[in-house]
Amino acid sequence: MAGVLAIPSKASVAAAWEHRDGEWLIKPRAAFGEKQSQPRKAAAAPADQPGWRGSEGGLVQMEVNKVQEAVEIELNPEDGGTTWMRAIETGKRWNERDAADQKVLAYKAAQANIAARKRMEQLKVEAARQKEVARKEAEMEHILKHKRALDKALASGGNKSELMMLRCQWELSKDPVLWTGVTRDALLANHAKKAKGIIYGMEFPWSEETLVEFGAQWLTKAFHAAGTLDASNKVASVTLEQKVKIDAGNNAGKFLFEVTYAKEDPRLHTKLFAKIPFKMTKETQADRISSSVIKQPMDLHEINTYRLMEASFPMATPKFYFGDISCETSNFILITERIPYAEVGEDRIGSKTLKPFEIEGPYDKCKDKYQLRGDPKEYYMLLVKTMAKIGGLDKAGEMLSQEMLEATRQIAPPPSNFPLQEKQASGQPPDILQGTLQNCLNFVSETAQALFPDYVTTEEFGEKFINTMMTWSAYSTEIQHWLHLDPAYVALGHANLNADNAYFWRNNEGKLDCGIIDWGGFAQGCLGHKFWWCFNCADFDQFRDNLSDYIAAFVSTYKEFGGPDIDPSVLKMQILLTTFGNMMFMCMAVPDCFRMCPKKEWETIKDRQDPRVANNINGKSTLRTTLQVLTNCIRVLEEMGSDEVLATWIKDIWVGKFGKTPKSRVAIFGEVAHA
């Protein structure tokens, strides 16, 4: 019986149990007697004094199945007996028994203690299981409660707004859908395979061809699963749109189709829109990898935005019918109502006379000057205010909870994701970067010079461009740290609220209004970043001339809808600093320009209206967008002094606020170039 076992509570032959605060607790009793006492540490007999030590009472060690168990023996000082002993045997008191009897009874007490603890653990496990069952039952009842309310409204003629609200409440009552990620290898291996979606657990189509294959029966099942079609109704037929094909956008494929329903319902749309991944063809494979792997989970963000937040937005967005995505294949499908653009198929957008509430467009990216029906400031002021409303509502807690945003990976990255690096460039390696920048400078000043301002050919601009971009890259991570440092300047927002990602109409009084589409990448982030990405494809002159008005409108609207007070000068600094990151993307995209338009063609391209650069290429506006954004960023640098803004940031924030020393020229430009 050698060894020491210290136990946290008094050992006892029997134990009383009670259920308190959702847990089973043991109330120890004295092993041999009536008196309850505080436990004392049990000590084994010294090795040089073997033998039984329980005759005089106290704590003794008993070995049960090679486990040491402490047993406390409490004796009645009046007669040397125990109440417990008299309860199970007659005649002999404890002190009348020999050591062998005492050891047997102590051993039984130790066995009882061990059995009691084991039972306690079993009861704890069972209590936890029952608690979890109760939680799941309550959660399921909560979900079913919302589903019953939605089903009732669908069946009894609830209006569109009511159905939208009830459907979102039902979706939000469920556990968040978790994205596990997809690799490039998985995409290449599985993109042509059928797979179940992570939202509704059913296989889904991901192209025009597979939608026809899945057919009306699948659409019925999908719309029922998403709560967008009454259980007593079904999709009777599906027909692909043959006349109008969509070849716009840079991140996904799109197509139109039409359905009929077994029962007509004015709340349902028959003309529908589908968004799907690019096909893995030679022309679009790189774009597919970018969207599905590099930018993941951008597509899930868009589906979740419709699925969860459709009823929370302060403006219109197309009605959600179904959406799902696979982590195995990266395939997805999003089905919404089709926006009834009034000018689909028109030779020249903006030339047709429209009635009140008829929807303008569709507008193309980077064609504001030739398509918008009114003053661009009117359109972009509306977009800025809409962006501010969404951000303000997020800060007021009226969109999604932070817990849900975190679960759906739409929460802003913390500043700690962007660690400060004091002694080295935090962007690309300087020696490599210089080659990228020189290649871009050659493109704008020589190959495509006719499409850019004349000053890009000057030596002065070339030096400013290289030096500024090298400096920005050296501080790029630290700038991101600062952009995400103050929560007042971080909120939900559209990833690129350009004019082509909105649809516009006028009311009877001629007032402009809008709805928003293309929610890919919708998440929390720096306000200045989102602000610039509203204008990066716009015409530069109106951005430059009206920026102060746009900022003032954003600041006031953001506060009106629940956001905090923010400093217009800080927001402007964020906007202009963001242009550098956007310009870097465009510099890196120059090689793609030659894949979309061979180098020999550029010699004869004289303006932006040349179809070789003005039209969509391979169903994408990528080339036109690259040229427009690169031009705008260059003009911000030369005409709005973004290089001076960067210098101010280094002086006031890096040195003044962070207390750091400016990075050396070697850190910025590299060892080789400036040894």
Side-chain angles (χ1 to χ4, degrees), residues 245-264:
K245 297 296 182 180
I246 305 175
D247 64 348
N250 302 323
N251 290 307
K254 307 172 182 73
F255 68 89
L256 307 175
F257 65 101
E258 189 168 353
V259 299
T260 60
Y261 300 98
K263 293 190 281 187
E264 292 186 5

Side-chain angles (χ1 to χ4, degrees), residues 210-245:
T210 53
L211 179 65
V212 172
E213 176 189 344
F214 278 64
Q217 184 176 1
W218 178 85
L219 283 169
T220 299
K221 182 180 178 182
F223 292 177
H224 285 162
T228 52
L229 180 67
D230 180 21
S232 67
N233 204 353
K234 66 180 182 178
V235 177
S237 67
V238 54
T239 306
L240 297 178
E241 172 63 55
Q242 299 298 332
K243 293 182 179 180
V244 179
K245 297 296 182 180

Side-chain angles (χ1 to χ4, degrees), residues 489 547-548 551-556 565-575:
Y489 295 85
L547 180 57
S548 294
I551 290 176
F554 183 94
V555 170
S556 62
D565 276 318
I566 57 176
D567 186 338
S569 65
V570 172
L571 182 60
K572 183 176 181 179
M573 176 177 277
Q574 291 184 343
I575 295 166

Side-chain angles (χ1 to χ4, degrees), residues 332-532:
F332 73 92
I333 189 168
L334 170 66
I335 299 175
T336 70
E337 70 170 284
R338 186 192 311 183
I339 299 170
Y341 291 110
E343 301 174 276
V344 172
E346 295 288 328
D347 292 334
R348 188 164 68 87
I349 300 296
S351 61
K352 181 180 178 181
T353 301
L354 301 183
K355 300 176 183 178
F357 300 102
E358 282 192 303
I359 296 176
E360 303 174 9
Y363 292 133
D364 290 317
K365 194 177 291 293
C366 304
K367 289 190 175 182
D368 294 354
K369 182 185 296 185
Y370 309 102
Q371 294 185 344
L372 292 184
R373 289 175 160 269
D375 182 357
K377 183 177 181 180
E378 181 184 18
Y379 286 81
Y380 279 92
M381 185 63 78
L382 180 58
L383 293 178
V384 164
K385 290 182 178 180
T386 301
M387 181 169 53
K389 290 176 183 179
I390 294 172
L393 289 173
D394 175 44
K395 303 306 284 188
E398 298 296 328
M399 298 296 291
L400 283 190
S401 68
Q402 287 296 105
E403 292 77 13
M404 181 63 77
L405 287 169
E406 185 171 2
T408 58
R409 298 177 67 174
Q410 290 172 279
I411 198 168
S416 58
N417 279 19
F418 311 102
L420 305 182
Q421 301 180 40
E422 300 183 44
K423 302 299 183 181
Q424 62 187 29
S426 60
Q428 296 187 43
D431 295 337
I432 296 175
L433 177 58
Q434 289 191 63
T436 300
L437 295 175
Q438 188 61 54
N439 186 46
C440 179
L441 183 60
N442 294 342
F443 175 73
V444 302
S445 63
E446 298 174 9
T447 308
Q449 196 282 313
L451 307 182
F452 292 89
D454 291 340
Y455 54 70
V456 299
T457 63
T458 66
E459 183 178 348
E460 180 184 8
F461 174 80
E463 290 181 359
K464 177 189 291 187
F465 173 77
I466 297 292
N467 291 341
T468 303
M469 291 302 294
M470 292 293 294
T471 302
W472 169 83
S473 180
Y475 289 95
S476 58
T477 300
E478 292 79 11
I479 289 173
Q480 286 298 316
H481 181 99
W482 175 72
L483 291 175
H484 292 85
L485 191 59
D486 188 342
Y489 295 85
V490 176
L492 271 176
H494 197 284
N496 58 329
L497 192 50
N498 308 137
D500 66 301
N501 288 331
Y503 52 103
F504 302 90
W505 66 89
R506 295 183 184 274
N507 63 15
N508 290 320
E509 289 72 42
K511 183 179 180 182
L512 189 68
D513 205 347
C514 76
I516 305 298
I517 58 174
D518 195 7
W519 295 101
F522 181 70
Q524 289 181 337
C526 169
L527 295 177
H529 177 98
K530 295 182 182 299
F531 196 110
W532 167 249

